Amino acid sequence: MNNEMARLQKCLNCVRKATSFVPKVAVVLGSGLGGFADHIRVAYEMSYHEIEDFPVSTVPGHEGKFIFGYVGDVPVVCMKGRVHYYEGYGMNEVVLPIRLMKLLGAEILVLTNAAGGVNPIFRAGDLMLIKDQISLFVPNPLVGENLDELGCRFPDMSAIYDRELQVLIREAASECNIVLQSGVYAQLSGPSYESPAEIRFLGKIGCDAVGMSTAVEAIAGKHMGMRICGVSCISNMAAGITDAALNHEEVQENAGRVGTQFCGLLITAIQRM
Ligand code: HPA
């Protein structure tokens, strides 16, 4: 067995020794959005530290654990905290949790993040449905020997974000009276925020929001045949769009401020998945 598969199998065995819970939906909570976890009817919690060889985050605000439980009647596994490429992990490690959640049974992947608004019509505090993505600025997580057990060598990315899930999220938003923007998410490596010139460039190539996660997770999920949807919380306008300087604490605070809306949207949507 390939090393990466062996590592994944080891993590899977470790989780399976602790719980037989089979999730339908996997949810990844972004920076400052961890409050959603309070709305899960918890069946079991497992700290990432308890899973042998599992990548563990070093960033404040990315407390690391899996929460297994129910949103309505829907069995979910929720990642509270994720690891990022900028922490020095390889892309294989960054996407390992996504692969693990699929092997645990999750068919649907709900990705969330805090992101900078590139589209000038956005405002800090907006929520954006991710329609498509640009991941040209970070290594592809599928580089290396293909894990044939997971998916094919050249997976199609022409519809990464599932159309039906997009409709479902839009309907949930209108029911919750939430104005939902939509657009293209670009992943850059970070950890520095972008320069104004970089943001102008991103705007010109069709990007609406920018962040440091998500796109590679979506690629790994799609490789394994997951149905994917994503919501960005526009925690700040990106560099140069306004005169404001950026810092991580403010980004987290702003993301936390729309937490109620964000939770309402996710709960309503996931109950129908
Ligand atoms: N740039 C990149 N990543 C981010 C930003 C940003 O402005 N805000 C939150 N995550």
Side-chain angles (χ1 to χ4, degrees):
M1 194 190 292
N2 163 294
N3 283 346
E4 199 52 40
M5 270 317 291
R7 180 173 181 180
L8 198 50
Q9 190 63 49
K10 198 198 271 183
C11 292
L12 180 63
N13 293 344
C14 211
V15 176
R16 276 293 167 243
K17 256 189 225 155
T19 178
S20 57
F21 193 94
V22 177
K24 177 177 186 194
V25 178
V27 187
V28 183
L29 295 176
S31 201
L33 302 173
F36 171 77
D38 301 335
H39 299 268
I40 298 174
R41 192 150 44 81
V42 178
Y44 190 72
E45 290 195 351
M46 192 167 192
S47 155
Y48 298 155
H49 291 284
E50 295 173 64
I51 307 169
E52 201 184 341
D53 263 358
F54 191 87
V56 175
S57 176
T58 56
V59 189
H62 290 262
E63 180 194 334
K65 63 179 169 183
F66 281 122
I67 302 167
F68 297 93
Y70 296 88
V71 174
D73 296 329
V74 180
V76 303
V77 55
C78 179
M79 285 184 71
K80 194 167 180 189
R82 51 149 74 95
V83 295
H84 296 84
Y85 181 62
Y86 61 72
E87 294 176 72
Y89 293 102
M91 280 305 185
N92 57 323
E93 298 182 288
V94 171
V95 303
L96 183 145
I98 304 295
R99 290 172 163 165
L100 179 59
M101 293 190 291
K102 172 67 165 66
L103 295 181
L104 288 167
E107 297 152 19
I108 295 176
L109 178 59
V110 180
L111 296 169
T112 73
N113 56 55
V118 175
N119 187 327
I121 73 162
F122 291 177
R123 291 289 167 264
D126 279 354
L127 296 178
M128 184 192 90
L129 177 68
I130 305 178
K131 290 198 301 189
D132 201 354
Q133 66 181 36
I134 293 173
S135 64
L136 298 169
F137 308 108
V138 287
N140 191 300
L142 307 181
V143 167
E145 186 184 338
N146 186 51
L147 305 178
D148 295 327
E149 298 91 331
L150 305 188
C152 69
R153 174 75 289 189
F154 299 107
D156 177 37
M157 295 288 149
S158 50
I160 300 177
Y161 294 90
D162 187 276
R163 300 266 148 76
E164 283 172 30
L165 292 176
Q166 288 185 49
V167 171
L168 194 151
I169 291 174
R170 281 183 195 281
E171 285 170 357
S174 71
E175 238 173 76
C176 299
N177 285 317
I178 292 170
V179 177
L180 188 62
Q181 306 284 7
S182 67
V184 173
Y185 173 92
Q187 178 172 356
L188 271 65
S189 75
S192 52
Y193 290 114
E194 302 71 30
S195 69
E198 287 162 349
I199 294 301
R200 282 195 299 277
F201 166 73
L202 289 176
K204 285 191 174 141
I205 64 168
C207 149
D208 298 290
V210 60
M212 305 175 193
S213 63
T214 300
V216 295
E217 296 168 341
I219 291 173
K222 187 73 183 165
H223 179 232
M224 294 182 81
M226 297 178 93
R227 293 177 63 209
I228 301 172
C229 58
V231 179
S232 291
C233 165
I234 305 301
S235 52
N236 57 281
M237 290 311 288
I241 303 277
T242 67
D243 292 334
L246 305 184
N247 74 68
H248 179 64
E249 288 68 32
E250 254 172 60
V251 165
Q252 272 190 303
E253 243 174 65
N254 286 342
R257 206 166 296 145
V258 291
T260 316
Q261 274 201 337
F262 173 81
C263 289
L265 176 62
L266 276 197
I267 289 161
T268 309
I270 290 172
Q271 278 176 352
R272 295 177 190 166
M273 289 180 178

